[in-house]
């Protein structure tokens, strides 16, 4: 018969918390249930690596950068984070929950 666990019986508590949360490639917040995979260097520019991002972060990346511009970053998120509009977005997003999502406006090109 299985041993019954109670809150007072902490030494026998063997719950597995699982792996630590994975941070978003762009904003650095923990990922929630909805995860998209972004190619930091687009496949059309020879990129193969993928990075986990929030859907809203992924939309923001592609709303402000073309594949050519992303290809010139060499997969480094810093130039993207330093973009004035993206930096403002990241400041606004910092206090939101992991699964927060909102419409993202496309940049006029």
């Amino acid at each position: 018969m299985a041993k019954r666990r109670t809150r007072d019986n902490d030494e026998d508590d063997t719950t597995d918390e699982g792996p630590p949360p994975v941070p978003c490639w762009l904003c650095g917040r923990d990922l929630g249930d909805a995860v998209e995979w972004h190619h930091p260097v687009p496949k059309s520019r020879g990129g193969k690596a993928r990075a986990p991002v929030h859907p809203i972060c992924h939309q923001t990346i592609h709303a402000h950068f073309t594949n050519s511009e992303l290809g010139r970053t060499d997969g480094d998120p810093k130039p993207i984070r330093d973009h004035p509009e993206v930096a403002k977005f990241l400041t606004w997003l910092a206090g939101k929950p992991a699964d927060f999502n909102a419409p993202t406006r496309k940049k006029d090109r």
Side-chain angles (χ1 to χ4, degrees), residues 34-88:
V35 176
E36 292 185 4
W37 292 89
H38 171 67
H39 287 89
V41 175
K43 288 171 38 175
S44 63
R45 304 289 182 241
K48 295 182 187 208
R50 298 183 323 157
V53 293
H54 295 105
I56 193 169
C57 293
H58 201 201
Q59 292 165 1
T60 299
I61 292 167
H62 289 288
H64 291 90
F65 296 93
T66 64
N67 280 349
S68 295
E69 292 168 332
L70 290 172
R72 289 191 292 268
T73 67
D74 293 326
D76 182 15
K78 185 169 178 10
I80 297 170
R81 291 179 188 144
D82 290 345
H83 184 278
E85 291 179 35
V86 175
K88 183 178 175 183

